[in-house]
Amino acid sequence: MASIRKEISIAAEPADVWDAVRDVGNIHVRLVPGFVTDCRLEGDDRIVTFANGLVVREPIVDIDDDQRRLAWAAVAEQFRHYNASVQVFAEGADRTRLVWIADLLPNELEETVQSMIEQGLAVMKQTLER
């Protein structure tokens, strides 16, 4: 199983970063605009449309306000397995470390998914530091 772990430092208050991350139905507006072009909720799932045209159903597994951790899965034809989480850590009052972890099968998708995560993190950082 491929396992990807990426983290970034964001010049923004941890509470503000977490508020945007936990707003799971509005990531296309508050978190990764342009990278995600549409997001809508259907029950406990979000349907995410990426700028590259990929559409993925993402069941939300957990929103943990105490740990500031969001976990989700992805249901798409290309994945046999996909689960991910984003966790927000304080680095002082006005700085945040965000950690994104994804585990997936088949392994051959690791490079593609890693590239998308890196793009998403870059947009996230730019958006949250505004």
Side-chain angles (χ1 to χ4, degrees):
M1 181 176 304
S3 188
I4 301 165
R5 184 182 191 280
K6 296 288 179 181
E7 66 180 77
I8 59 170
S9 182
I10 302 170
E13 293 182 14
D16 293 339
V17 172
W18 174 242
D19 189 58
V21 167
R22 76 171 322 283
D23 190 2
V24 295
N26 288 305
I27 62 172
H28 62 304
V29 176
R30 298 191 60 201
L31 201 58
V32 285
F35 177 68
V36 170
T37 58
D38 189 46
C39 180
R40 68 183 192 283
L41 295 177
E42 288 185 1
D44 292 334
D45 297 353
R46 64 182 174 193
I47 311 304
V48 179
T49 303
F50 294 89
N52 64 7
L54 179 66
V55 178
V56 178
R57 176 175 292 274
E58 296 182 342
I60 303 301
V61 176
D62 189 35
I63 301 172
D64 184 336
D65 288 316
D66 292 332
Q67 296 296 315
R68 290 183 176 155
R69 182 177 179 270
L70 168 67
W72 70 96
V75 179
E77 185 175 305
Q78 63 269 41
F79 295 117
R80 281 198 330 258
H81 174 85
Y82 184 97
N83 66 281
S85 65
V86 167
Q87 192 162 5
V88 172
F89 298 94
E91 289 188 327
D94 59 354
R95 192 140 200 98
T96 301
R97 182 170 48 96
L98 187 137
V99 177
W100 187 336
I101 299 171
D103 299 309
L104 62 117
L105 287 171
N107 293 334
E108 294 76 26
L109 291 176
E110 180 177 12
E111 191 173 307
T112 300
V113 172
Q114 181 167 301
S115 176
M116 288 183 72
I117 289 172
E118 289 169 351
Q119 291 172 41
L121 286 171
V123 172
M124 197 179 297
K125 180 175 175 67
Q126 180 181 30
T127 301
L128 294 170
E129 287 184 346
R130 275 192 249 158

